[in-house]
Amino acid sequence: GAGVSQSPSNKVTEKGKDVELRCDPISGHTALYWYRQSLGQGLEFLIYFQGNSAPDKSGLPSDRFSAERTGGSVSTLTIQRTQQEDSAVYLCASSRPPNMGPPGGRSYEQYFGPGTRLTVT
Amino acid sequence: GESVGLHLPTLSVQEGDNSIINCAYSNSASDYFIWYKQESGKGPQFIIDIRSNMDKRQGQRVTVLLNKTVKHLSLQIAATQPGDSAVYFCAENRYSGGGADGLTFGKGTHLIIQP
């Protein structure tokens, strides 16, 4: 079946421009996550959606970053007035509803997309 | 900061040898742990998970060990192959205002397989 898809795969933008990154989660996955991964680094949590609401925005690094999710499906991460330090791979992941884990307990497995590589020049 | 960390950023092993990747966590309330593999240019992919009511779980060529006493997690890969070269992340279930949802990831270990 279809996995998590992200677009564009690569984005080069000039400093100061706004960018929008898109994530299409797996159908039926109610939870959606955005992460940022700088070169050679780990995964930095940005924001989490359950349905259309975002109970946890604690990872957004500044007010230039925002995200929305409509219809409980597609999500858009927007970065305004991009800076060079925003250059990174932005990963999206989705997971099943909490009550749809394997027998014996919840599954927290997240399914990741291929990421969008953002380069700010 | 992150509550899950790794002891070594890079691990180099000979092809055919066994690999052990270690991970420490600090949240004693965590009850679920997961290992991901990330190949160059791709998103992380699930390898194996384990719940806190277990101390060992085996998959195909992989074994995860959990020591809750010292809050330590390890991933063992048997007879490593060139295709095992990747960055490996451990993660624990993450608690937010909405309860136990999401994952907190460690910094990752880059596994290099020498021919």
Side-chain angles (χ1 to χ4, degrees), chain B residues 16-19 61-63 76-81 84:
Chain B
D17 287 353
N18 297 335
S19 303
R61 281 202 306 119
V62 295
T63 301
Q76 301 178 358
I77 305 174
T80 48
Q81 303 168 357
D84 295 328

PDB file of all heavy atoms in Angstrom, chain B residues 16-19 61-63 76-81 84:
ATOM      1  N   GLY B  16      30.163  -9.739   8.303  1.00  0.00           N
ATOM      2  CA  GLY B  16      30.050 -11.080   8.863  1.00  0.00           C
ATOM      3  C   GLY B  16      30.108 -11.117  10.378  1.00  0.00           C
ATOM      4  O   GLY B  16      29.653 -12.094  10.997  1.00  0.00           O
ATOM      5  N   ASP B  17      30.663 -10.077  10.987  1.00  0.00           N
ATOM      6  CA  ASP B  17      30.694 -10.004  12.451  1.00  0.00           C
ATOM      7  C   ASP B  17      29.325  -9.574  12.984  1.00  0.00           C
ATOM      8  O   ASP B  17      28.476  -9.089  12.246  1.00  0.00           O
ATOM      9  CB  ASP B  17      31.762  -9.005  12.916  1.00  0.00           C
ATOM     10  CG  ASP B  17      33.172  -9.535  12.740  1.00  0.00           C
ATOM     11  OD1 ASP B  17      33.304 -10.729  12.379  1.00  0.00           O
ATOM     12  OD2 ASP B  17      34.123  -8.759  12.944  1.00  0.00           O
ATOM     13  N   ASN B  18      29.183  -9.723  14.295  1.00  0.00           N
ATOM     14  CA  ASN B  18      27.970  -9.241  14.947  1.00  0.00           C
ATOM     15  C   ASN B  18      28.169  -7.787  15.386  1.00  0.00           C
ATOM     16  O   ASN B  18      29.277  -7.389  15.770  1.00  0.00           O
ATOM     17  CB  ASN B  18      27.631 -10.103  16.167  1.00  0.00           C
ATOM     18  CG  ASN B  18      27.329 -11.531  15.777  1.00  0.00           C
ATOM     19  OD1 ASN B  18      26.923 -11.803  14.650  1.00  0.00           O
ATOM     20  ND2 ASN B  18      27.533 -12.442  16.710  1.00  0.00           N
ATOM     21  N   SER B  19      27.105  -7.003  15.326  1.00  0.00           N
ATOM     22  CA  SER B  19      27.150  -5.603  15.748  1.00  0.00           C
ATOM     23  C   SER B  19      26.260  -5.409  16.963  1.00  0.00           C
ATOM     24  O   SER B  19      25.203  -6.036  17.062  1.00  0.00           O
ATOM     25  CB  SER B  19      26.652  -4.682  14.629  1.00  0.00           C
ATOM     26  OG  SER B  19      27.397  -4.842  13.446  1.00  0.00           O
ATOM     27  N   ARG B  61      17.643 -11.756  12.230  1.00  0.00           N
ATOM     28  CA  ARG B  61      19.038 -11.324  12.412  1.00  0.00           C
ATOM     29  C   ARG B  61      19.188 -10.187  13.420  1.00  0.00           C
ATOM     30  O   ARG B  61      20.294  -9.700  13.638  1.00  0.00           O
ATOM     31  CB  ARG B  61      19.666 -10.860  11.081  1.00  0.00           C
ATOM     32  CG  ARG B  61      20.123 -11.949  10.160  1.00  0.00           C
ATOM     33  CD  ARG B  61      21.179 -11.473   9.176  1.00  0.00           C
ATOM     34  NE  ARG B  61      20.766 -10.313   8.411  1.00  0.00           N
ATOM     35  CZ  ARG B  61      21.401  -9.144   8.447  1.00  0.00           C
ATOM     36  NH1 ARG B  61      22.446  -8.956   9.229  1.00  0.00           N
ATOM     37  NH2 ARG B  61      20.973  -8.127   7.705  1.00  0.00           N
ATOM     38  N   VAL B  62      18.138  -9.740  14.019  1.00  0.00           N
ATOM     39  CA  VAL B  62      18.239  -8.675  15.019  1.00  0.00           C
ATOM     40  C   VAL B  62      17.635  -9.113  16.343  1.00  0.00           C
ATOM     41  O   VAL B  62      16.675  -9.887  16.376  1.00  0.00           O
ATOM     42  CB  VAL B  62      17.549  -7.374  14.547  1.00  0.00           C
ATOM     43  CG1 VAL B  62      18.268  -6.789  13.343  1.00  0.00           C
ATOM     44  CG2 VAL B  62      16.086  -7.584  14.252  1.00  0.00           C
ATOM     45  N   THR B  63      18.241  -8.615  17.405  1.00  0.00           N
ATOM     46  CA  THR B  63      17.747  -8.865  18.757  1.00  0.00           C
ATOM     47  C   THR B  63      17.810  -7.557  19.526  1.00  0.00           C
ATOM     48  O   THR B  63      18.821  -6.845  19.454  1.00  0.00           O
ATOM     49  CB  THR B  63      18.624  -9.906  19.484  1.00  0.00           C
ATOM     50  OG1 THR B  63      18.611 -11.133  18.739  1.00  0.00           O
ATOM     51  CG2 THR B  63      18.092 -10.174  20.893  1.00  0.00           C
ATOM     52  N   GLN B  76      21.232  -5.797  18.631  1.00  0.00           N
ATOM     53  CA  GLN B  76      22.255  -6.688  18.135  1.00  0.00           C
ATOM     54  C   GLN B  76      21.891  -7.127  16.723  1.00  0.00           C
ATOM     55  O   GLN B  76      20.767  -7.568  16.489  1.00  0.00           O
ATOM     56  CB  GLN B  76      22.399  -7.909  19.055  1.00  0.00           C
ATOM     57  CG  GLN B  76      22.764  -7.530  20.476  1.00  0.00           C
ATOM     58  CD  GLN B  76      22.861  -8.723  21.403  1.00  0.00           C
ATOM     59  OE1 GLN B  76      22.615  -9.857  20.994  1.00  0.00           O
ATOM     60  NE2 GLN B  76      23.215  -8.476  22.651  1.00  0.00           N
ATOM     61  N   ILE B  77      22.854  -7.005  15.823  1.00  0.00           N
ATOM     62  CA  ILE B  77      22.662  -7.439  14.449  1.00  0.00           C
ATOM     63  C   ILE B  77      23.641  -8.574  14.190  1.00  0.00           C
ATOM     64  O   ILE B  77      24.864  -8.398  14.333  1.00  0.00           O
ATOM     65  CB  ILE B  77      22.912  -6.294  13.440  1.00  0.00           C
ATOM     66  CG1 ILE B  77      22.035  -5.084  13.776  1.00  0.00           C
ATOM     67  CG2 ILE B  77      22.643  -6.756  12.016  1.00  0.00           C
ATOM     68  CD1 ILE B  77      22.334  -3.862  12.928  1.00  0.00           C
ATOM     69  N   ALA B  78      23.123  -9.722  13.830  1.00  0.00           N
ATOM     70  CA  ALA B  78      23.966 -10.887  13.596  1.00  0.00           C
ATOM     71  C   ALA B  78      24.473 -10.901  12.158  1.00  0.00           C
ATOM     72  O   ALA B  78      23.771 -10.524  11.230  1.00  0.00           O
ATOM     73  CB  ALA B  78      23.180 -12.161  13.888  1.00  0.00           C
ATOM     74  N   ALA B  79      25.732 -11.347  12.014  1.00  0.00           N
ATOM     75  CA  ALA B  79      26.324 -11.541  10.680  1.00  0.00           C
ATOM     76  C   ALA B  79      26.060 -10.347   9.786  1.00  0.00           C
ATOM     77  O   ALA B  79      25.373 -10.448   8.761  1.00  0.00           O
ATOM     78  CB  ALA B  79      25.775 -12.816  10.060  1.00  0.00           C
ATOM     79  N   THR B  80      26.597  -9.195  10.179  1.00  0.00           N
ATOM     80  CA  THR B  80      26.305  -7.956   9.470  1.00  0.00           C
ATOM     81  C   THR B  80      26.694  -8.041   7.998  1.00  0.00           C
ATOM     82  O   THR B  80      27.703  -8.657   7.631  1.00  0.00           O
ATOM     83  CB  THR B  80      27.014  -6.760  10.116  1.00  0.00           C
ATOM     84  OG1 THR B  80      28.379  -7.081  10.346  1.00  0.00           O
ATOM     85  CG2 THR B  80      26.347  -6.368  11.404  1.00  0.00           C
ATOM     86  N   GLN B  81      25.869  -7.402   7.201  1.00  0.00           N
ATOM     87  CA  GLN B  81      26.025  -7.399   5.748  1.00  0.00           C
ATOM     88  C   GLN B  81      26.206  -5.963   5.277  1.00  0.00           C
ATOM     89  O   GLN B  81      25.859  -5.026   5.987  1.00  0.00           O
ATOM     90  CB  GLN B  81      24.775  -8.010   5.105  1.00  0.00           C
ATOM     91  CG  GLN B  81      24.460  -9.407   5.579  1.00  0.00           C
ATOM     92  CD  GLN B  81      23.070  -9.856   5.145  1.00  0.00           C
ATOM     93  OE1 GLN B  81      22.308  -9.110   4.526  1.00  0.00           O
ATOM     94  NE2 GLN B  81      22.735 -11.099   5.469  1.00  0.00           N
ATOM     95  N   ASP B  84      23.519  -3.463   5.837  1.00  0.00           N
ATOM     96  CA  ASP B  84      23.216  -2.998   7.191  1.00  0.00           C
ATOM     97  C   ASP B  84      23.825  -1.625   7.464  1.00  0.00           C
ATOM     98  O   ASP B  84      23.537  -1.014   8.499  1.00  0.00           O
ATOM     99  CB  ASP B  84      23.747  -3.991   8.231  1.00  0.00           C
ATOM    100  CG  ASP B  84      23.039  -5.332   8.157  1.00  0.00           C
ATOM    101  OD1 ASP B  84      21.842  -5.357   7.802  1.00  0.00           O
ATOM    102  OD2 ASP B  84      23.688  -6.360   8.455  1.00  0.00           O
TER     103      ASP B  84
END
